[in-house]
Amino acid sequence: SQQGEEDPQALSIQEGENATMNCSYKTSINNLQWYRQNSGRGLVHLILIRSNEREKHSGRLRVTLDTSKKSSSLLITASRAADTASYFCASSTQGGSEKLVFGKGTKLTVNP
Amino acid sequence: SAVISQKPSRDICQRGTSLTIQCQVDSQVTMMFWYRQQPGQSLTLIATANQGSEATYESGFVIDKFPISRPNLTFSTLTVSNMSPEDSSIYLCSVDRRTVSTDTQYFGPGTRLTVL
């Protein structure tokens, strides 16, 4: 069953604004990853944060992880029209499982 | 990162027929995964395919419906059998690439299946 829940389900912003997406999960994790999907194509890996990390940056992306609340957030700063896509979190659970459990995703629209 | 290709990229099929989707990776990997993404939904794991052993299926997915082959460390196939319109989805393969510093999964471009 899906253990990741994301909010909002859809987000529409103007170019230059920041976009924040949240993800919650139910069980203990090894790591949590964020992916982007353009128009129903394949997934592009954005960033991975491990369970012992609290924050990670990559370019305009900032990911936080709060294991006490079982939640993560993805912040995209200075958004661009090209950032328009669906964003998914995916968690890898403790116990050595390589399986990913995906959240429902946030559909982000960045208006020029 | 891994380079993963899938064939076909899309197909339109009649109900009752079967379609085999191929996944090719540019390097040897131990584990390959098959996911389904129904329209407007997130990804759900169908099965894990290890070379030389039977695939491991997730709850709700059975081998008769989704037989998987894994003949070597760079290739796998997923067959969608006796298709119905409910099987219309994007099917994606992925590989787990583990190093000292990363355990990222990389995804193929997907196969968009429409069943009439």
Side-chain angles (χ1 to χ4, degrees):
Chain A
S1 61
Q2 301 242 346
Q3 69 165 356
E5 297 287 336
E6 274 145 293
D7 72 272
Q9 290 188 343
L11 179 62
S12 181
I13 59 175
Q14 295 299 122
E15 227 173 6
E17 295 180 339
N18 296 340
T20 299
M21 289 159 271
N22 302 298
C23 167
S24 63
Y25 56 90
K26 296 178 182 175
T27 62
S28 297
I29 60 171
N30 277 330
N31 61 62
L32 188 140
Q33 306 181 47
W34 285 89
Y35 289 86
R36 184 184 73 216
Q37 185 180 41
N38 291 80
S39 301
R41 302 290 305 245
L43 273 70
V44 174
H45 183 263
L46 294 176
I47 194 166
L48 177 152
I49 187 165
R50 298 188 185 282
S51 59
N52 61 352
E53 297 175 313
R54 292 298 167 257
E55 187 171 313
K56 205 161 184 180
H57 297 254
S58 178
R60 294 185 294 113
L61 305 179
R62 173 178 169 252
V63 170
T64 63
L65 180 65
D66 187 334
T67 53
S68 67
K69 295 181 179 178
K70 292 185 169 60
S71 66
S72 174
S73 68
L74 171 68
L75 169 67
I76 303 174
T77 60
S79 63
R80 306 166 181 168
D83 295 328
T84 295
S86 291
Y87 292 82
F88 296 92
C89 70
S91 57
S92 174
T93 59
Q94 288 185 347
S97 170
E98 293 86 355
K99 295 186 295 188
L100 292 181
V101 178
F102 279 82
K104 293 181 179 179
T106 294
K107 188 171 184 179
L108 173 67
T109 302
V110 181
N111 301 300
Chain B
S1 63
V3 175
I4 306 170
S5 61
Q6 285 186 233
K7 289 181 182 179
S9 59
R10 59 177 60 225
D11 208 342
I12 300 173
C13 301
Q14 297 296 322
R15 69 170 68 211
T17 62
S18 298
L19 176 72
T20 296
I21 302 167
Q22 299 179 5
C23 179
Q24 180 76 51
V25 190
D26 66 340
S27 59
Q28 294 183 345
V29 293
T30 303
M31 301 182 76
M32 296 179 75
F33 305 88
W34 286 98
Y35 289 84
R36 180 177 74 181
Q37 185 179 26
Q38 294 176 301
Q41 302 296 314
S42 186
L43 281 76
T44 301
L45 181 64
I46 298 172
T48 303
N50 289 336
Q51 193 268 336
S53 64
E54 293 284 332
T56 302
Y57 289 83
E58 297 299 303
S59 175
F61 297 96
V62 295
I63 187 171
D64 290 346
K65 177 67 176 176
F66 297 102
I68 288 172
S69 78
R70 183 79 201 274
N72 57 53
L73 291 173
T74 62
F75 187 78
S76 178
T77 67
L78 169 77
T79 298
V80 186
S81 304
N82 188 24
M83 289 184 285
S84 66
E86 291 71 34
D87 294 320
S88 297
S89 297
I90 299 172
Y91 293 86
L92 300 104
C93 68
S94 73
V95 302
D96 191 54
R97 183 60 57 82
R98 289 181 173 242
T99 67
V100 172
S101 60
T102 183
D103 49 7
T104 300
Q105 274 196 27
Y106 295 95
F107 284 79
T111 295
R112 184 182 291 272
L113 171 62
T114 301
V115 183
L116 303 178

